[in-house]
Amino acid sequence: MTTAAQDPATEADPGATEAFGAPDSEWQELVTAALLGAERRVLPGGSAAALLDRAATATVRARAGLTAAVPGPLPAPAGDDPRPEPPRAAAARCLSLFNSARASGAAAPAWNAHRPHPDQLLPEWLELANHLGYRPPHAQLPLVLDAARARDRRQAVLAFAGPRGRWLAAQNPAWHFATAADRLPATAVPVEADLSRWEHGAFADRVAVLTTLRAQDPAAGRELLAGTWRTERAEERLLFLDLLRDGLGPADEPFLESALSDRSRTVRSAAAELLTLLPGSALSGRMAQRALACVRLREPADGSGAELVVTAPAECDREMQRDGITAKPPTGQGERSWWLQQVLEAAPPAVWREQLGDRTAAAIVDLPATEEWRRALHLGWVLAALRHEARDWARALLGDPGRAFPGGGEHAGRLLGLLPEADRAAWAAAYVTSQGLGPPGSVLSRCPAPWSPVLTDAVAAAARSAWRAKKHHPATHGAALMTAQLSMHATGAQPVFQRLLEEATAAAEVERRAEAAAREAAKNTRTRPAVPGDGLAQGWLREFTAVVRTLERRALMRAELLDGAPDPHG
């Protein structure tokens, strides 16, 4: 029987040791001199003792997490953090994971790797550590703060770092992102230096100034941008427009309306999208009128049932293009369906209930529609629900997981993200059961880990069916299996995948023997030996080995943190 290898946390890992001077050229000079020796190089400081003194100083400085500065008054002491440290094994795991997170940018995993990078296990570890109320060992705080550079995990990392982490971040400008919220009073007024940065600073500085000002005073931020709007480059105007999402309000409408005449098509489209998000805006009203002209309700007198009569726009006139409608469709889509889709996307979903007999979103979606335009109609509604975050429409459009979804799994996954977490898992489980393991990758990624037993069982059953049917190469399921091994209920999925691993091990051995026999038979001939099974069993063996190893590692990781306490996820 083949079992997973020992816990990967104990394997050699170049990022699992503290490289205190890794980014420091002075440290590299010390290491090089020590390796070459006094016979081949003049030692820094003139002697071996001086070299060791400098290395000790550099190590202490890195461990302190503080950059060298002119001596001044000592900072106020850090406040107490009453939370306990994790158990000993979990603290060692903490060091390994955060070292891997720091090293992940410089040593990214191969594109076809079957096993996840250790960095990908960090979110689950953080979620459980924060739930249990642990704090990091003080010596690891610099590593923890470095990991907070990634925006997608910053909130969880900073919660783990706690008050001492925020205190330490305040001592080092490299960690300014960790204290930005603390330094931003709601009523603060920008100083002249900030206005100077807007006028003369680099683009990143100008983004920071506008972001800060927009958060404090939306009107002042908009006026600052309007003052330099005509001199900005198109790509800068586009990015600055996106910053107006924060604090977006009716007062922004005149500025955004003027941006509809911008010389850049992408800027016009961005301004139009923001205007559609403003309830009661003129553009939102124009789009609603266009949408209602394309879709009307017909209720036959014979009582055969109401239906939607859909008529796509016959042209994309200048006014439509000014309002953000792109005239040229993507490859493979007709012009009129493309225009219809965009008009429906921009129209607020709320207009349909009033115009279609006060029906609910679910009742409207279920109405029969003109067959020629039905797909464009539903795809337009999907995109409108996403743009306007209309959760009732998201639920109605998702509907039956067993039917084909407009726009495929990607749009289904995005809609699923609008639903409560418990509802996502139930819908995704039914979707996987109906569609199999291949399509649901983007759906599965929207379900927070660890998955519920229902979703875990559905994915395990789909993997078993895919393996035993052997209709596709396992690489076609690689993305779903990678998501699954990081998200499934670890202890619940282990028995199923262990059995699949045993089956794949036996089948791969038979396959290898058949291949060897074929090569032997063709050794003295000019024919190319056939490959029995096309290597499917060996491919599945690699996939299942990776899944089982990751599940074992995650189960051990959780057990280290829990230290005998009950698992909140069962």
Side-chain angles (χ1 to χ4, degrees):
M1 180 178 71
T2 299
T3 59
Q6 64 178 349
D7 175 32
T10 65
E11 299 172 6
D13 184 351
T17 57
E18 291 182 280
F20 293 112
D24 190 343
S25 60
E26 179 186 356
W27 176 263
Q28 295 298 337
E29 173 66 19
L30 293 173
V31 171
T32 302
L35 291 173
L36 292 176
E39 294 81 6
R40 301 172 59 189
R41 187 148 185 165
V42 176
L43 298 181
S47 68
L51 184 148
L52 292 175
D53 285 343
R54 293 189 179 193
T57 301
T59 301
V60 170
R61 184 174 67 245
R63 282 180 170 162
L66 181 65
T67 56
V70 176
L74 291 176
D80 289 333
D81 189 342
R83 299 175 299 169
E85 290 186 7
R88 183 175 180 179
R93 178 81 60 178
C94 176
L95 176 63
S96 175
L97 290 176
F98 279 99
N99 261 313
S100 296
R102 183 175 63 176
S104 62
W111 67 271
N112 60 348
H114 297 281
R115 291 168 51 187
H117 190 271
D119 184 28
Q120 294 174 274
L121 300 175
L122 186 56
E124 181 180 6
W125 192 95
L126 279 169
E127 187 274 336
L128 185 56
N130 285 333
H131 176 83
L132 295 171
Y134 288 128
R135 64 165 174 82
H138 296 321
Q140 295 181 21
L141 276 173
L143 279 177
V144 173
L145 291 173
D146 279 344
R149 296 181 191 280
R151 290 181 180 274
D152 58 346
R153 62 183 175 222
R154 182 173 297 172
Q155 183 176 359
V157 171
L158 294 180
F160 181 56
R164 285 181 176 254
R166 290 192 296 274
W167 176 88
L168 183 60
Q171 316 308 317
N172 187 345
W175 294 322
H176 68 91
F177 52 82
T179 58
D182 297 335
R183 297 198 310 267
L184 184 62
T187 57
V189 177
V191 297
E192 291 300 322
D194 282 338
L195 297 179
S196 176
R197 286 170 62 205
W198 172 256
E199 295 172 357
H200 307 292
F203 181 67
D205 293 328
R206 303 183 73 219
V207 167
V209 171
L210 183 57
T211 301
T212 301
L213 184 55
R214 184 71 178 171
Q216 298 169 359
D217 186 345
R222 183 187 64 251
E223 293 304 317
L224 183 68
L225 178 58
T228 60
W229 180 255
R230 295 184 180 277
T231 62
E232 308 289 353
R233 294 182 299 173
E235 57 269 28
E236 294 173 346
R237 296 198 301 276
L238 181 63
L239 289 171
F240 285 144
L241 266 186
D242 193 58
L243 297 180
L244 298 186
R245 290 178 184 272
D246 292 333
L248 185 66
D252 297 319
E253 184 175 358
F255 175 76
L256 293 174
E257 274 283 347
S258 68
L260 293 177
S261 301
D262 195 272
R263 56 187 180 275
S264 167
R265 180 180 61 81
T266 55
V267 172
R268 294 196 301 270
S269 296
E273 180 181 351
L274 290 177
L275 283 167
T276 61
L277 299 178
L278 276 176
S281 71
L283 184 139
S284 184
R286 295 194 296 270
M287 284 301 189
Q289 290 177 1
R290 293 184 181 114
L292 293 173
C294 293
V295 182
R296 63 182 179 86
L297 181 69
R298 181 169 63 190
E299 299 185 83
D302 60 6
S304 56
E307 61 181 354
L308 296 177
V309 179
V310 184
T311 306
E315 62 174 339
C316 184
D317 57 32
R318 187 182 298 275
E319 289 302 313
M320 289 174 66
Q321 293 181 49
R322 183 180 183 273
D323 285 348
I325 303 299
T326 303
K328 185 176 180 180
T331 304
Q333 184 170 2
E335 286 185 333
R336 296 184 66 192
S337 68
W338 172 238
W339 301 334
L340 173 63
Q341 176 185 313
Q342 293 179 86
V343 167
L344 294 170
E345 177 184 359
V351 305
W352 300 108
R353 181 163 189 167
E354 179 182 348
Q355 294 298 320
L356 299 178
D358 200 30
R359 288 175 168 83
T360 64
I364 294 171
V365 169
D366 287 340
L367 286 171
T370 305
E371 187 60 32
E372 181 181 3
W373 308 114
R374 181 175 177 82
R375 187 180 185 281
L377 172 71
H378 279 245
L379 186 53
W381 280 343
V382 166
L383 296 173
L386 291 170
R387 178 181 291 195
H388 297 273
E389 297 185 353
R391 289 170 176 78
D392 57 336
W393 276 84
R395 193 182 298 277
L397 289 162
L398 284 168
D400 179 9
R403 64 175 174 78
F405 192 83
E410 176 61 31
H411 283 130
R414 294 175 63 197
L415 280 179
L416 200 62
L418 296 177
L419 301 187
E421 292 182 359
D423 293 348
R424 293 184 220 172
W427 194 92
Y431 188 71
V432 171
T433 301
S434 170
Q435 305 291 335
L437 196 61
S442 55
V443 169
L444 295 176
S445 65
R446 298 287 176 167
C447 299
W451 291 341
S452 67
V454 172
L455 181 54
T456 295
D457 291 346
V459 172
R464 181 172 57 242
S465 298
W467 147 245
R468 291 177 178 172
K470 295 185 176 64
K471 291 183 178 180
H472 304 286
H473 194 278
T476 62
H477 306 304
L481 287 172
M482 178 65 81
T483 302
Q485 61 186 290
L486 288 167
S487 305
M488 286 186 296
H489 191 285
T491 54
Q494 274 182 286
V496 176
F497 280 92
Q498 183 63 51
R499 288 194 296 271
L500 295 179
L501 177 59
E502 294 167 10
E503 292 178 17
T505 300
E509 181 60 28
V510 172
E511 192 175 74
R512 281 192 289 265
R513 290 177 182 174
E515 289 176 3
R519 285 193 297 271
E520 182 65 26
K523 185 164 56 177
N524 297 321
T525 68
R526 294 185 178 182
T527 59
R528 184 176 181 180
V531 180
D534 294 325
L536 284 178
Q538 294 171 69
W540 280 107
L541 175 60
R542 287 192 296 272
E543 294 290 349
F544 289 150
T545 299
V547 172
V548 171
R549 284 181 173 174
T550 302
L551 291 175
E552 288 181 349
R553 184 174 186 179
R554 289 178 52 222
L556 178 59
M557 187 176 74
R558 297 183 72 86
E560 291 167 350
L561 274 170
L562 292 166
D563 196 28
D567 192 325
H569 294 286

